Amino acid sequence: MSNRSRDNMQFTVELMRRGAVMLKEPCPICNGVQIKYKGKTHCTAHEDLSRILSEKEVTYGDVAASLKDMLLSKMKESMALLEIEKDPVKQDQLITFMAKSVDLLNKLEAAAKGS
Ligand SMILES: [Zn+2]
């Protein structure tokens, strides 16, 4: 038994606990057991159910925080690249990326203050 199917069994239990129902029809792709959760049909055999679970648990604050972290480290990378970049086109791309990142960071900050 693969890790995925073992994990999926636990995830299926968790999804059922949250109101998912088991369907009679088997998966048309792999013949696995299907469940219906929040109006969508999912296969418990071949789909990555952890994604469905994490999707529902994600909050705006979590996403904003990790997006901020990611942008900051990307900006740091871009800065290092820009320092050694000789091609003006690539320099421009890096600067545009950083400008957009700053813009997005400002929006995230504003949204965080607003809540
Ligand atoms: Zn399937």
Side-chain angles (χ1 to χ4, degrees):
M1 186 182 277
S2 71
N3 272 338
R4 166 163 296 181
S5 46
R6 195 167 44 230
D7 287 347
N8 263 1
M9 232 183 261
Q10 289 170 2
F11 294 137
T12 304
V13 171
E14 178 60 23
L15 285 168
M16 304 267 292
R17 212 176 56 81
R18 295 185 193 192
V21 286
M22 223 168 249
L23 298 177
K24 272 183 219 147
E25 300 79 30
C27 172
I29 298 163
C30 73
N31 218 33
V33 177
Q34 294 191 118
I35 54 167
K36 197 165 188 147
Y37 182 65
K38 306 223 168 175
K40 278 189 187 162
T41 304
H42 302 283
C43 173
T44 63
H46 81 267
E47 268 188 56
D48 185 3
L49 295 179
S50 64
R51 247 192 27 216
I52 305 160
L53 276 170
S54 55
E55 267 170 22
K56 306 298 167 190
E57 281 170 355
V58 163
T59 65
Y60 177 76
D62 291 342
V63 177
S66 40
L67 184 57
K68 211 169 135 182
D69 285 351
M70 194 210 37
L71 282 172
L72 287 171
S73 65
K74 285 272 174 206
M75 277 169 77
K76 213 175 151 189
E77 279 170 30
S78 304
M79 255 169 67
L81 287 172
L82 185 60
E83 214 167 0
I84 52 165
E85 187 56 69
K86 299 272 193 290
D87 183 347
V89 177
K90 284 182 184 157
Q91 284 177 356
D92 195 56
Q93 283 171 351
L94 287 166
I95 290 165
T96 305
F97 169 76
M98 285 194 277
K100 280 181 181 165
S101 300
V102 170
D103 196 41
L104 192 52
L105 281 169
N106 283 334
K107 280 179 183 153
L108 286 170
E109 297 272 330
K113 271 176 204 152
S115 67

